[in-house]
Amino acid sequence: MTKSNLSLSRRRMITSLAALSGAAALPMPAWATGNMGRHGGAAVGKGIHELSGPKIDLHIADGRFATGGRSGHAIAVNGTVPGPLIRLKEGEDVTLSVHNMLDVDSSVHWHGLLLPFQFDGVPGISFPGIKPGARFDVPLRLRQSGTYWWHSHSGLQEQMGHYGPIIIDPAGPDPVAYDREHIILLSEFTPMHPHAIMKKLKVSEGYFSRQKTSASDDYPLSAEQRRMWGRMRMMPTDIADVSAPTYTYLINGHGPEDGLELPYRPGERVRLRIINGSAMTFFNVRLPGLPMTVVQADGQNVQPVAVDELQIGVAETYDVIVTPNAAGAFAIAAESMDRSGMAQATLTSQPGRKATFPALRDPPLLSMVDMGHGGMDHGGSGDKAGPAMDHSQMDHAAMGHAMPEASPASGHDGHDMGAMDMSGGMNMRDTSLLPASVKVGPGIDMVSMNPQDRTGYPGLGLEGVPHRTLNYRMLKSLAMDHHKRAPDREMELHLTGNMERYMWSFDGKKFSAVGDDPIRFGHDERVRVKLVNDTMMAHPIHLHGMFFELVNGQGHHQPRKHTVIVQPGSSATFDVTTDEPGDWAFHCHLLYHMHAGMMQTVSVAFPEGAA
């Protein structure tokens, strides 16, 4: 295996710089001395350097980032955006020391890692946060392998560059064979302060949208469809809250104009570890002319799946293998879901040889299915292989809908049911459809009438492309779960919002209103959780501290994930074994949705007799 562009570890570089400074009286880097923030922000570097070993130090500081003619305030870690790659090995012990050099509190959440809850890094839930000038040590024994990442969980710091990758190599042989690897860390940069973005989202609906419908646009909508959307007072182009031109999309901290090149030799199996570390952007990733084989999702090995394009939600990771057999240059094109911009890098066999990037495709449009009015259920997510459930133990108070029925995967999921007659007007907010657990109020402006399970949907804009795309039902865990238990009980949670007021919540209740009323689980419970999306936006829902098994019809091979996209107006279901005691965050990973209130605390009881 070749560890590309990582030939000198960051730790070795720090040691070398310290020795050199001592010998020749040269100044230390600002980030290594704590002076970076105090001097108003030094220039921030780009790219990913590697740290490894039993003790790793991360220094958080202010800086100034620039790409493609844009520059602005950033939060760098060890002097770069993204921060360093933390490379570890399963079974080993490590201490991660986080030094906060900002003049405000900060934190680091270790996204996807199994660890004691008090080290999970979420202020207000698992710990108080790290004060300015303070250090927080995280001692870990690594219980897993795979591709993960880390990021701030304080305020909106993640938007400003406070994130980086984690790779944990397996203790034994890696089931994925490869000759070379590259990290593809997707993110955004904007010179606009994130709190200014939040304010504009709150006071002006659609402020950042440049794709609104109008009387003279070219969108393929009939007059009746336009009237229908008008009666609903909604936009079929309302896909991303913030997009280009506000954002410059990045790969490993490099904007398109930076011309990032990633090398390969013909015939090599190249592993791309794709991480969506963005604040608000879903990406559709492809390498035109080069098929991808998906081998890992959210750090967990899956049976190989060959595709030509995949959609990656915020906070998800996918590892793929590509094998370019000839010399050349291939475009790594990560197009934002609303097709307003693209993150770019070139996979090349020769330095300086550039790929030709595809043009942005036409923006996709939302459909009635995305509004929760799909009519027909084209596919449940039932688990055919699972044993029968004991329905007497179900939490009926938390339920309002039937469990998904077993059904084979269907290619029809997500189709626009354009033939539906909407001319009679429809009630977009029929709250009688909601279970009693949902608080009805101004925070809900839409209720899904028929929220289909759409785990067979490739993602907005990919349902009609002329090549192979990934969907959740194609994911099968590499190893069979022989000890899978039937759920002890079920619960249903609704993802709720008011687009115009930019209010986001679970069950109609903002996080600030439920701080003392977490979602409670017993220790080692087996719970089936159905998420119903009563909004017209896709939400990447992330559970801290535990993996869940996505109910996608794969029986004992259900894939384990930490983040699931719940499509607009639709539902998704997962099973979870609550064997990690403590308080954990559970939230939408769209940063501004979480900040607005779409977040909850999951509290798992400690086992009896635990100290």
Side-chain angles (χ1 to χ4, degrees), residues 355-367:
T356 300
F357 285 85
L360 293 173
R361 295 170 287 192
D362 292 336
L365 296 173
L366 296 172
S367 72

Side-chain angles (χ1 to χ4, degrees), residues 100-131:
N100 181 12
M101 301 176 180
L102 304 174
D103 57 7
V104 297
D105 287 12
S106 191
S107 59
V108 174
H109 163 57
W110 317 98
H111 189 104
L113 265 59
L114 301 172
L115 74 180
F117 82 97
Q118 64 269 30
F119 299 121
D120 191 48
V122 182
I125 292 181
S126 55
F127 85 137
I130 309 172
K131 295 295 181 185

Side-chain angles (χ1 to χ4, degrees), residues 13 36 55 67 82 97 105 128 271 273 300 317 348 355 378 400 410 506 567 574 579 599:
M13 187 177 77
M36 194 166 180
K55 187 174 187 307
T67 183
S97 295
D105 287 12
R271 182 175 189 165
R273 298 180 183 266
Q300 304 297 295
T317 74
T348 181
H378 281 291
S410 166
F506 284 131
Q567 298 293 343
F574 64 77
D579 54 1
M599 183 169 178

Side-chain angles (χ1 to χ4, degrees), residues 279-337:
M280 292 295 286
T281 307
F282 286 46
F283 290 97
N284 295 328
V285 180
R286 60 193 155 128
L287 290 79
L290 196 57
M292 301 180 285
T293 300
V294 179
V295 294
Q296 199 176 88
D298 287 1
Q300 304 297 295
N301 293 318
V302 297
Q303 297 182 24
V305 180
V307 300
D308 299 299
E309 187 168 10
L310 61 83
Q311 183 170 102
I312 182 167
V314 176
E316 291 188 304
T317 74
Y318 283 108
D319 285 25
V320 304
I321 298 292
V322 296
T323 309
N325 288 315
F330 295 90
I332 302 175
E335 190 177 39
S336 63
M337 183 169 66

Side-chain angles (χ1 to χ4, degrees), residues 526-601:
R526 182 79 171 163
V527 184
R528 174 161 291 188
V529 179
K530 181 178 181 180
L531 300 172
V532 178
N533 187 349
D534 286 309
T535 80
M536 58 189 287
M537 298 200 75
H539 298 283
I541 303 299
H542 172 51
L543 175 63
H544 288 223
M546 290 165 278
F547 286 95
F548 52 77
E549 297 149 31
L550 190 62
V551 179
N552 67 343
Q554 297 295 356
H556 288 262
H557 284 281
Q558 289 181 165
R560 301 175 73 214
K561 292 184 99 287
H562 53 58
T563 303
V564 59
I565 300 172
V566 188
Q567 298 293 343
S570 306
S571 68
T573 304
F574 64 77
D575 294 338
V576 61
T577 302
T578 56
D579 54 1
E580 299 287 344
D583 291 338
W584 304 99
F586 181 56
H587 61 92
C588 176
H589 222 287
L590 294 175
L591 184 62
Y592 297 99
H593 290 193
M594 180 184 72
H595 196 68
M598 189 176 275
M599 183 169 178
Q600 244 290 19
T601 301

